[in-house]
């Protein structure tokens, strides 16, 4: 989700039930995206397990599993009897984590597809440059 | 607290509807009970709720036999196609009647639900359309407060909006007051995300009982040119095949190994796995 868009109602993320990715991971990544985009700010409370499960019609155990993943990584924390909150250093933690997986997530596949299409390293570099240019003219940053 | 089913068998004349079912239904868990038409789902649920008698085997709740045990039967609500209300009874009275049977019935929640679903409580139960007949029973199920809810084809005749409203209400009810839910349906994909455990019944026997995630992790699909796919699949446990032109997809049970050039790998979804496992 782009940081400039206001979150549509409460529905801050889209789950893809046809995706191969387990739903609890999609929940965890959806919350991560919401934190990175600022929809869930550091120190703020996030929706409850029940709200997540009802909104996405998923088993509460699945939602809990996704959220616990982020609790284990120190991105969320529980306040007993109140709910779940975004940790104060969540943004830094998340950026560091996503930077580490950036290569595997994006570069490996990019190089693979470029080879299939007989694009050279220079072609790809030019395209990346073009991507940054277009983003700058569309968003002004 | 649990319902234990041991060696449950049911014969109708020469027909073996159930062939020795062993299953434990734990409190606080949502089960998907999946099976093709005639697999034995409804027969099993009917025996669990004392509507039918077993030929052999036992069903117990917390150690006590369930058959003719009113105390145990009050712990269970079963929604099925059959309606047991008198012809002339109005919806409002039928809800009151249910409230008298279930000690934890939440009448104000039932009112709230009738409003949300748009159910006319002044209508006769017998005059309700298929969809509203289901909705009436769903409302009783959601409001009855029983720790075990057996829902046999719970969305029969419901439009997409009402189905969504039901699934959301069910999760809300489950979150507020955890209970054991058995969703028996052939709409596999719709309940796929709701269930924690999947029980597949096939020809009167339990074919699979696992958590949804364990079950889905058991297999994968491979797609590519027929020759390459056949070479890859040789010696593997292939449970199904689709072919169109020279393109072939095989469904394989087992751990997914390394990828191979020119072949595409995907995971299984519940619907596909179900279809492949229960194809005769």
């Amino acid at each position: 989700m782009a940081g400039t868009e206001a979150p549509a109602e409460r529905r801050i993320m889209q789950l893809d039930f046809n995706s191969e990715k387990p739903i609890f991971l999609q929940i965890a990544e959806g919350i991560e995206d919401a934190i990175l985009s600022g929809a869930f700010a550091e120190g703020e409370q996030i929706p409850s397990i029940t709200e997540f499960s009802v909104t996405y019609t998923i088993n509460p155990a699945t939602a809990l599993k996704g959220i616990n993943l982020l609790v284990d990584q120190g991105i969320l924390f529980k306040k007993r009897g109140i709910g779940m909150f975004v940790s104060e250093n969540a943004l830094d933690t998340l950026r560091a984590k996503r930077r580490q997986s950036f290569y595997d997530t994006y570069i490996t596949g990019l190089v693979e597809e470029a080879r299939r299409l007989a694009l050279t390293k220079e072609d790809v570099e030019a395209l990346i440059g073009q991507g940054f240019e277009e983003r700058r003219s569309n968003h002004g940053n | 607290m649990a319902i234990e089913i041991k060696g449950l068998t049911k014969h109708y004349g020469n027909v073996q509807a159930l062939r020795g079912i062993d299953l434990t239904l734990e409190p606080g868990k949502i089960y998907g009970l999946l099976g093709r038409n005639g697999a034995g789902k409804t027969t099993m649920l009917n025996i669990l709720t004392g509507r039918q008698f077993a030929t052999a085997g036992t069903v117990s709740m917390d150690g006590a036999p369930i058959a003719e045990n009113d105390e145990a039967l009050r712990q269970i609500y079963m929604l099925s196609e059959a309606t047991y209300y008198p012809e002339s009874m109005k919806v409002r009275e039928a809800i009151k009647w249910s409230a008298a049977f279930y000690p934890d019935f939440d009448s104000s929640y039932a009112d709230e639900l009738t409003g949300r679903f748009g159910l006319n409580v002044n209508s006769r139960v017998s005059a309700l359309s298929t969809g509203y007949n289901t909705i009436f029973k769903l409302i009783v199920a959601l409001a009855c407060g029983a720790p075990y809810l057996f829902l046999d084809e719970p969305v029969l005749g419901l439009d997409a909006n009402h189905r969504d409203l039901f699934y959301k209400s069910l999760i809300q009810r489950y979150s507020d007051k955890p209970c054991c839910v058995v969703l028996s349906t052939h709409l596999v994909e719709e309940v796929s995300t709701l269930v924690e455990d999947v029980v597949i019944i096939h020809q009167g026997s339990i074919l699979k009982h696992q958590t949804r995630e364990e079950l889905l992790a058991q297999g994968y699909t491979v797609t590519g040119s027929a020759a390459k796919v056949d070479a890859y699949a040789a010696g593997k446990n292939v449970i199904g095949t689709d072919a169109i032109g020279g393109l072939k997809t095989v469904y394989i049970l087992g751990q997914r190994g390394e990828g191979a050039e020119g072949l595409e790998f995907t995971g299984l979804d519940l619907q596909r796995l179900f279809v492949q496992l229960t194809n005769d």
Side-chain angles (χ1 to χ4, degrees):
Chain A
M1 178 182 288
T4 47
E5 284 169 23
E9 299 165 12
R10 293 220 64 132
R11 206 173 176 94
I12 38 80
M13 52 205 216
Q14 298 295 324
L15 302 188
D16 177 6
F17 294 143
N18 294 318
S19 157
E20 268 195 69
K21 192 170 281 181
I23 294 161
F24 76 94
L25 275 183
Q26 293 190 46
I27 287 279
E29 286 181 5
I31 295 172
E32 285 184 5
D33 287 343
I35 295 172
L36 284 168
S37 74
F40 294 159
E42 291 180 340
E44 251 184 30
Q45 187 168 6
I46 66 161
S48 68
I49 303 283
T50 304
E51 281 180 85
F52 275 118
S53 349
V54 170
T55 306
Y56 297 108
T57 54
I58 57 172
N59 191 295
T62 310
L64 181 66
K65 197 170 168 188
I67 283 174
N68 277 343
L69 211 60
L70 299 180
V71 172
D72 290 345
Q73 295 170 17
I75 290 159
L76 300 177
F77 68 97
K78 276 177 211 171
K79 277 193 200 169
R80 211 166 270 283
I82 306 178
M84 209 68 69
F85 290 77
V86 181
S87 305
E88 285 304 336
N89 54 356
L91 266 177
D92 284 345
T93 313
L94 272 178
R95 285 201 181 115
K97 185 180 122 182
R98 290 278 181 106
R99 277 179 189 151
Q100 266 195 344
S101 60
F102 185 78
Y103 185 86
D104 289 332
T105 312
Y106 297 99
I107 304 301
T108 317
L110 179 87
V111 171
E112 188 91 355
E113 179 71 359
R115 284 196 49 192
R116 274 198 285 259
L117 304 180
L119 289 168
T120 65
K121 179 171 164 247
E122 288 70 28
D123 293 335
V124 174
E125 281 170 354
L127 286 169
I128 291 173
Q130 186 190 330
F132 273 98
E133 273 311 312
E134 274 177 23
R135 161 104 198 151
R136 187 166 332 181
S137 54
N138 289 340
H139 296 266
N141 58 29
Chain B
M1 277 276 287
I3 292 179
E4 275 193 74
I5 304 163
K6 286 199 181 125
L8 196 65
T9 303
K10 177 74 180 175
H11 298 169
Y12 298 106
N14 290 329
V15 180
Q16 288 205 308
L18 298 176
R19 305 163 186 252
I21 299 269
D22 294 313
L23 178 66
T24 301
L25 296 172
E26 293 169 39
K29 229 182 205 188
I30 304 181
Y31 294 83
L33 178 63
L34 311 179
R36 299 184 59 183
N37 291 329
K41 307 186 294 283
T42 302
T43 302
M44 184 179 95
L45 294 178
N46 277 342
I47 294 173
L48 295 191
T49 49
R51 294 178 182 187
Q52 275 179 272
F53 291 101
T55 308
T58 58
V59 182
S60 59
M61 184 188 286
D62 310 333
I66 254 179
E68 314 207 20
N69 175 348
D70 274 356
E71 213 31 64
L73 292 176
R74 274 174 209 272
Q75 309 291 310
I76 304 173
Y77 179 84
M78 173 152 163
L79 176 150
S80 67
E81 218 183 326
T83 302
Y84 296 99
Y85 297 92
E87 278 280 295
S88 61
M89 196 178 255
K90 290 193 170 165
V91 170
R92 184 196 306 283
E93 297 167 275
I95 290 177
K96 271 194 195 146
W97 213 47
S98 309
F101 186 75
Y102 290 100
D104 291 331
F105 196 95
D106 185 341
S107 296
S108 62
Y109 184 46
D111 285 347
E112 188 188 320
L113 288 170
T114 51
R116 249 190 264 162
F117 278 98
L119 174 66
N120 177 6
V121 293
N122 294 316
S123 168
R124 287 177 202 281
V125 174
S126 57
L128 294 172
S129 66
T130 308
Y132 270 104
N133 195 289
T134 304
I135 286 171
F136 157 64
K137 292 173 193 164
L138 285 176
I139 289 172
V140 175
L142 291 166
C144 74
Y148 292 92
L149 301 181
F150 296 164
L151 309 178
D152 192 12
E153 295 301 348
V155 295
L156 200 70
L158 264 58
D159 63 28
N161 307 49
H162 280 151
R163 291 206 300 275
D164 191 53
L165 181 56
F166 161 62
Y167 293 131
K168 285 181 165 32
S169 306
L170 179 67
I171 295 173
Q172 186 71 54
R173 150 75 162 94
Y174 173 81
S175 299
D176 294 343
K177 192 172 180 185
C179 50
C180 170
V181 181
V182 177
L183 285 168
S184 166
T185 181
H186 57 258
L187 294 176
V188 178
E189 261 323 278
E190 277 201 17
V191 301
S192 168
T193 60
L194 291 176
V195 305
E196 190 170 342
D197 273 25
V198 176
V199 178
I200 299 180
I201 293 199
H202 189 52
Q203 296 175 343
S205 301
I206 291 190
L207 196 63
K208 294 275 175 192
H209 176 199
Q210 279 171 313
T211 69
R212 174 181 172 276
E213 273 163 27
E214 281 169 1
L215 188 64
L216 294 183
Q218 281 190 352
Y220 58 98
T221 76
V222 184
T223 302
S225 68
K228 274 188 182 166
V229 168
D230 287 341
Y232 179 88
K236 295 192 168 63
N237 185 7
V238 175
I239 55 167
T241 305
D242 285 333
I244 176 165
L247 200 63
K248 194 168 179 179
T249 297
V250 290
Y251 302 84
I252 297 177
L253 285 188
Q255 275 297 318
R256 203 193 301 194
E258 287 291 300
E261 195 71 30
L263 291 178
E264 202 166 313
F265 293 76
T266 72
L268 289 175
D269 58 51
L270 196 54
Q271 169 105 21
R272 277 199 287 193
L273 185 63
F274 172 78
V275 168
Q276 298 299 341
L277 285 173
T278 57
N279 255 340
D280 296 319

